[in-house]
């Protein structure tokens, strides 16, 4: 475990020098939020109106959180890197290293997310306060609880992206899979809460990754209750175990193929 | 003069043709890139179906008009990124000293620098634009107007990018400004003008000319208006002139400057 | 008439300076500090039609800056440049039709296309009618032996073949002057020789004036009749190759393998470079002592093997650099 902690720390430090790039990336996030702010202000006839169970500021806070979760992940680059490693054969160098490859991926990627997460959270909250002038009713414990679900959400996303990346062991190019996954998360999980979709899809969405990687933390943030927290955490742990097992399985299959084909 | 323009066009088109040939080397990637971009754009229809289930009109637009707006926005984006891909990373070209190659050629430096590469997925954007035009309602006049506006809008966003990227001639880290400007233009372009108010709205018809490139065309195709038509054409010409003037000013500065910025 | 005329040319750069560490970085953002670096200081020279000139100097001496001014990429701060009678600052396009450039490290070719298609592209850039481009390509194909690979995509060519194509591509519009910046960098000896032959041939066939920078002494020695050495922004030597050798070649290196150990002391005109008992290496200054006298000192009967050579050009040149360096 100590080993992964060290990998994580090293990655955090090496990312420190890209703070300016993170800020530049934040501008894009700000633009999206600005548009959504205007859009929802137009859709809501008055701020106290409730649409599908959300007030206007709850709706906008929801998007602030899901967009943070999505932007911090920076999944495109990460997934593309694993796909390249697999297809280019670089992954062979990891086979005889004294660490678990999936653990290594997780530690490096969480490390590279760390600085982004801090900056996006601080700036995102700040922007929300300026746009809306209010903050959801949360205390220090519930904030911590949301933070935990946020971290677990990032862990799950990372594992799922790792799985997609490693999938290129089995098919030639896993990029289309990434594409489908990212569209699902963006369109069905980021811009609207689950309640906005037709009732017959809602149960499906609640069992999909969307519930644990974006809806869960964001919904807790705008409408906190401990019962839901427990529910989300349980789901998240189940997802982590499943996703980890899937990754290990694909990796094992892949390594076997490497040994046969010699990379 | 006329001969010069003809020769210039010949070289630029040849460069684009060669770039397309390069991308076509891998036909599967070429086609999947295009198809995925069409699907990518189409996935946003879900967003608008939901929004229109909440309200009959969004920002003064009907559902069909939003689709037309999406069509214009994606086709202008596609046009610009297909023919002038490098205009959107021009500050890299400037900062890395890559302009030198074009400076020793007897052609227009700006055009040589921005017409050397194509973005394949931009073809998907252009196709999607026309698909949306069919969704909106197709007839010859709307088709012709649409095509004209795609060219005008594409030229406008290209020129805005050239102008912002040209700031690199004066300020080293200005590529952040250019990137911000470009992402503002593309992101706002797919949302109805009615949701923006006040200063922002004024900006959209001046500094960030999304209004001219996207909103006016939707208006004109919905209901023809000669004044608005003239404005779109006029502003396009204005932006083209501005882009050339500012870039050439920067180029002069580049040649005579004594700032050594990663120039070696 | 001189084909290139440079008169009292100067160019100064402003370079940002930064202290070490984070504090330095912050300071550089808030209040940037600049240092003026004179890249080119008051240089003048002329080049005649048909010459092959080697323009050499250590890294950072101002070579690239000068070439960039000659080709119209940069404008001088002070002084005049006339290339083919054209003011490079005022008439960039007109100049561009008449000159060719090859920058060894910057590729200008489309790598997925064949050399043939590339040549046609360059033909279009210089507004040459299709039929003439084709005739020209045919001519080059024979003259520069491009047959083997003229229809192979550039990315499948070897580095040497690529450079050959780069150079030929820059000849499509029959430039009167060709600027070659490090054309043989990173090539193996056989390929280098190939490129040199090409350069010589084009100089002979088309009377193209060639202005060449290189770090490779072989290029300079085998191609050029005249050398201009620039160091620290100034021309330190502008002379014919012959003169350069003559002035600096009055020293010989004598290496001898002896049957017996001999003891040799430094005396006028002789410097001992290496003395390992049986193996000796001495430098003889022929203005002070003849080679024959030097050999007598060695006792010719005891010599097993001997080698008398000029000082390598490389050493001569680095000596010139060093001398200028210490003058400051």
């Amino acid at each position: 475990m100590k080993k992964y902690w060290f990998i994580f720390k090293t990655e955090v430090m090496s990312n420190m020098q890209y703070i300016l790039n993170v800020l530049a990336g934040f501008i894009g996030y700000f633009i999206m939020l600005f548009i959504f702010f205007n859009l929802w202000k137009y859709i809501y006839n008055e701020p106290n109106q409730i649409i599908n169970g959300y007030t206007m500021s709850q709706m906008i806070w929801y998007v602030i959180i899901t967009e943070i979760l999505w932007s911090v992940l920076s999944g495109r680059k990460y997934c593309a890197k694993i796909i390249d490693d697999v297809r280019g054969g670089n992954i062979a160098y990891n086979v005889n290293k004294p660490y678990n490859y999936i653990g290594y991926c997780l530690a490096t990627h969480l490390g590279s997310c760390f600085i982004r997460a801090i900056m996006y959270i601080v700036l995102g909250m700040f922007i929300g306060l300026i746009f809306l002038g209010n903050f959801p009713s949360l205390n220090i414990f519930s904030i911590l609880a949301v933070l935990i679900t946020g971290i677990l959400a990032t862990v799950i996303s990372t594992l799922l992206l790792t799985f997609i990346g490693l999938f290129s062991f089995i098919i030639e190019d896993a990029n289309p899979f990434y594409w489908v996954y990212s569209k699902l998360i963006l369109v069905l999980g980021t811009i609207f809460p689950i309640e906005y979709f037709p009732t017959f899809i809602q149960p499906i969405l609640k069992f999909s990754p969307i519930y644990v990687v974006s809806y869960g933390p964001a919904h807790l943030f705008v409408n906190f209750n401990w019962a839901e927290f427990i529910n989300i955490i349980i789901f998240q742990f189940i997802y982590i175990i499943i996703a980890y097992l899937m990754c290990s399985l694909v990796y094992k299959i892949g390594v076997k193929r490497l040994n046969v084909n010699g990379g | 003069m006329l001969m010069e323009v003809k020769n210039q066009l010949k070289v630029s088109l040849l460069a684009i043709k060669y770039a397309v040939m390069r991308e076509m080397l891998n036909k599967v990637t070429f086609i999947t890139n295009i198809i995925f971009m069409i699907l990518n754009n189409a996935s946003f229809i879900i967003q608008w179906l939901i929004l229109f289930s909440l309200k009959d009109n969004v920002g003064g637009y009907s559902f069909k008009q939003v689709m037309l707006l999406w069509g214009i926005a994606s086709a202008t984006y596609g046009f610009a990124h297909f023919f002038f891909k490098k205009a959107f990373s021009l500050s890299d070209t400037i900062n890395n000293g890559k302009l030198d190659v074009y400076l020793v050629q007897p052609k227009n430096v700006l055009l040589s620098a921005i017409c050397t590469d194509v973005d394949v997925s931009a073809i998907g954007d252009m196709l999607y634009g026309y698909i949306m035009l069919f969704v909106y309602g197709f007839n010859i006049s709307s088709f012709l107007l649409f095509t004209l506006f795609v060219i005008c809008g594409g030229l406008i966003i290209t020129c805005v990018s050239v102008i912002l990227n040209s700031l690199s001639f004066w300020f080293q880290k200005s590529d952040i400004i250019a990137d911000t400007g470009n992402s503002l233009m593309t992101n706002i372009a797919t949302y109805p003008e009615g949701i923006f108010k006040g200063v922002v709205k004024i900006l959209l018809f001046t500094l960030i000319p999304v209004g001219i490139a996207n909103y006016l065309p939707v208006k004109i195709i919905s209901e023809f208006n000669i004044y608005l038509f003239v404005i779109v054409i006029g502003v396009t010409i204005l932006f083209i002139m501005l882009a050339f003037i500012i870039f050439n000013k920067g180029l002069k500065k580049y040649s005579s400057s004594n700032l050594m910025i990663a120039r070696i | 008439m001189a084909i290139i005329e440079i008169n009292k040319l100067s160019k100064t750069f402003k370079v940002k300076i930064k202290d070490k560490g984070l504090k330095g970085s912050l300071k550089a953002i808030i209040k940037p500090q600049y240092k003026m670096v004179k890249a080119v200081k008051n240089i003048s020279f002329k080049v005649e039609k048909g010459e092959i000139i080697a323009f050499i100097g250590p890294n950072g001496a101002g070579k690239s800056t000068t070439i960039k001014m000659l080709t119209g990429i940069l404008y001088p701060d002070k002084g005049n440049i006339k290339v083919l009678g054209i003011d490079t600052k005022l008439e960039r396009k007109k100049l561009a039709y008449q000159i060719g450039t090859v920058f060894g490290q910057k590729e200008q070719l489309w790598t997925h296309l064949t050399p043939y298609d590339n040549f046609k592209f360059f033909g279009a850039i210089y507004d040459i009618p299709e039929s003439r481009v084709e005739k020209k390509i045919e001519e080059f194909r024979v003259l520069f032996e491009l047959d083997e690979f003229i229809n192979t995509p550039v990315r499948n060519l070897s580095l040497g073949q690529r450079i050959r194509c780069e150079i030929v591509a820059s000849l499509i519009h029959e430039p009167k002057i060709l600027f070659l910046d490090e054309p043989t960098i990173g090539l193996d000896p056989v390929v280098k020789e190939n490129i040199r032959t090409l350069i010589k041939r084009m100089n002979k066939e088309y009377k193209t004036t060639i202005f060449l920078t290189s770090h490779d002494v072989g290029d300079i020695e085998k191609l050029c009749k005249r050398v201009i050495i620039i160091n620290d922004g100034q021309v330190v030597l502008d002379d014919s190759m012959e003169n350069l050798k003559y002035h600096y070649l009055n020293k010989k290196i004598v290496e001898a393998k002896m049957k017996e150990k001999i003891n040799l002391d430094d005396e006028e005109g002789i410097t001992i470079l290496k003395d390992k008992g049986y193996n000796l290496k001495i430098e003889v200054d022929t203005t002070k002592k003849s080679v024959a006298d030097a050999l007598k000192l060695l006792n010719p009967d005891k010599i097993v093997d001997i080698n008398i050579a000029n000082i390598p050009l490389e050493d001569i040149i680095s000596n010139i650099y060093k001398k200028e360096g210490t003058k400051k």
Side-chain angles (χ1 to χ4, degrees), chain C residues 98-293:
Chain C
Q98 317 257 3
I99 60 168
T101 44
V102 177
F103 295 105
Q105 286 144 312
K106 280 184 195 161
E107 286 195 14
Q108 309 185 50
L109 299 178
W110 296 80
T111 52
H112 64 295
L113 297 175
T114 63
Y116 182 83
D117 286 329
N118 269 295
F119 296 154
K120 289 195 102 172
F121 181 73
F122 278 87
I125 286 185
Y126 292 95
D127 311 325
I128 303 167
E130 203 95 348
S131 57
R132 235 181 83 211
V133 174
E134 262 160 58
K135 238 163 97 193
K136 206 76 211 163
I137 297 175
E138 181 55 28
E139 186 184 326
F140 288 155
R141 191 176 61 81
V142 178
L143 186 63
F144 300 127
E145 295 151 20
L146 308 175
D147 256 330
E148 268 177 79
F149 53 85
I150 194 154
N151 289 317
T152 314
V154 172
R155 69 196 144 102
N156 298 337
L157 301 184
S158 68
L159 188 58
Q161 291 171 328
R162 276 190 198 199
I163 305 274
R164 251 158 96 182
C165 291
E166 290 268 356
I167 296 176
V168 173
S170 68
L171 293 177
I172 288 285
H173 61 293
E174 303 174 10
K176 302 212 169 65
I177 309 174
L178 187 64
F179 293 93
L180 293 165
D181 197 3
E182 308 261 0
T184 61
I185 200 162
L187 300 176
D188 69 51
V190 179
V191 178
K192 272 184 184 171
E193 207 42 57
N194 252 327
I195 301 287
R196 286 173 196 148
T197 316
L198 188 155
I199 295 173
K200 260 193 209 156
R201 199 171 286 175
M202 113 188 124
N203 172 259
K204 206 176 135 215
E205 290 289 321
Y206 304 107
K207 302 280 173 293
T208 315
T209 310
I210 290 160
F211 195 89
L212 170 118
T213 74
S214 182
H215 279 296
D216 190 300
V217 176
D219 289 349
I220 301 159
E221 204 166 11
K222 291 188 178 145
L223 286 173
C224 305
K225 295 231 168 64
R226 181 174 156 205
V227 185
I228 297 176
I229 298 180
I230 177 172
N231 195 5
D232 197 26
Q234 283 167 313
V235 173
V236 295
L237 186 129
D238 178 355
D239 213 338
S240 69
M241 202 66 204
E242 246 165 62
N243 273 341
L244 175 69
K245 281 191 180 165
Y246 180 77
H247 279 302
Y248 288 86
L249 292 194
N250 41 29
K251 286 185 182 151
K252 300 276 166 187
I253 304 283
V254 178
E255 271 181 284
K257 193 173 171 191
M258 310 298 294
K259 257 187 230 157
E260 286 168 18
K261 234 179 179 174
I262 60 159
N263 288 317
L264 206 61
D265 295 316
D266 265 352
E267 59 178 283
E268 182 154 37
I270 291 191
T271 323
I272 297 165
L273 300 174
K274 208 158 69 183
D275 183 357
K276 280 190 181 164
Y278 297 101
N279 292 310
L280 266 177
K281 191 174 177 184
I282 59 175
E283 188 186 282
V284 183
D285 186 342
T286 50
T287 54
K288 289 175 184 139
K289 202 169 218 81
S290 71
V291 176
D293 288 340

Side-chain angles (χ1 to χ4, degrees), chain B residues 18 22 103 107 255 257-258, chain C residues 12 14 73 75 92 112:
Chain B
Y18 281 0
R22 175 173 56 210
L103 273 163
K107 284 282 164 283
S255 288
S257 98
N258 34 29
Chain C
T12 306
K14 229 163 139 187
I73 294 170
Y75 301 154
R92 185 184 62 77
H112 64 295

Side-chain angles (χ1 to χ4, degrees), chain B:
Chain B
M1 178 67 193
L2 204 64
M3 199 59 198
E4 207 173 308
V5 173
K6 205 184 124 203
N7 284 333
Q8 176 71 57
L9 275 179
K10 191 181 157 200
V11 172
S12 295
L13 286 175
L14 196 58
I16 287 165
K17 184 182 140 195
Y18 281 0
V20 173
M21 280 163 66
R22 175 173 56 210
E23 299 302 325
M24 297 251 281
L25 286 177
N26 189 339
K27 292 211 175 54
V28 178
T29 319
F30 184 81
I31 290 169
T32 37
N33 267 327
I34 294 172
I35 292 174
F36 270 86
M37 190 43 78
I38 293 176
L39 292 175
N40 176 58
N41 294 344
S43 70
F44 285 92
I45 294 178
I46 298 172
Q47 180 190 8
W48 290 100
L49 282 173
I50 288 175
L51 288 172
F52 275 95
S53 73
L54 304 174
K55 231 176 172 160
D56 297 336
N57 86 74
V58 177
Y61 278 37
S62 67
F63 182 72
K64 275 196 167 176
Q65 276 178 314
V66 171
M67 291 301 106
L68 179 63
L69 177 68
W70 247 100
I72 295 254
S74 102
T76 48
Y77 180 93
F79 178 84
H81 284 253
F82 181 74
F83 288 102
F84 310 112
K85 180 183 177 190
K86 289 280 179 181
F88 298 87
S89 56
L90 192 58
S91 58
D92 283 351
T93 313
I94 296 168
N95 285 335
N96 298 335
K98 285 186 199 144
L99 281 181
D100 293 1
V101 178
Y102 308 116
L103 273 163
V104 295
Q105 293 173 355
K107 284 282 164 283
N108 183 283
V109 180
L110 176 57
L111 286 174
S112 305
I114 64 177
C115 301
T116 55
D117 205 352
V118 295
D119 183 347
V120 172
S121 53
I123 299 173
D125 285 313
M126 282 193 272
L127 289 175
Y128 185 74
Y130 282 94
I131 296 172
M132 287 299 101
L133 178 67
F134 273 92
V135 170
Y136 175 78
F138 176 85
N139 60 51
I140 288 293
S141 73
S142 68
F143 176 80
L144 292 177
L145 278 176
F146 186 87
T147 305
L148 179 70
F149 290 141
V150 165
I151 295 171
C152 286
L155 290 173
I156 289 178
I157 56 178
T158 306
C159 289
V160 169
S161 180
V162 167
I163 292 168
L164 293 176
N165 276 291
S166 294
L167 293 177
S168 288
F169 283 121
W170 289 276
F171 315 104
Q172 207 180 343
K173 293 244 157 131
S174 64
D175 49 332
I176 293 180
I177 301 175
D179 289 346
T180 309
N182 286 332
S183 76
L184 258 178
M185 297 276 293
T186 29
N187 284 316
I188 290 183
T190 53
Y191 290 88
E193 73 172 287
I195 66 168
F196 302 105
K197 292 193 177 63
V199 188
V200 181
K201 195 150 189 178
I202 296 172
L203 284 177
L204 291 185
F205 284 88
T206 49
L207 278 180
I208 319 163
V210 175
I212 315 282
N214 301 94
Y215 298 153
L216 290 189
V218 171
K219 254 189 202 149
I220 299 168
I221 293 176
S222 304
E223 196 186 344
F224 188 75
N225 178 327
I226 187 76
Y227 296 111
L228 297 181
F229 183 81
V230 172
I231 287 178
V232 175
I233 304 288
V235 171
T236 308
I237 294 170
L238 184 78
F239 267 98
I240 293 174
M241 284 178 1
L242 268 179
F244 273 104
I245 291 171
I246 292 175
F247 181 83
N248 285 336
K249 266 227 151 73
L251 200 59
K252 211 164 249 172
K253 156 102 179 156
Y254 176 84
S255 288
S256 54
S257 98
N258 34 29
L259 256 186
M260 196 138 65
I261 318 161
R263 182 72 69 72
I264 334 164

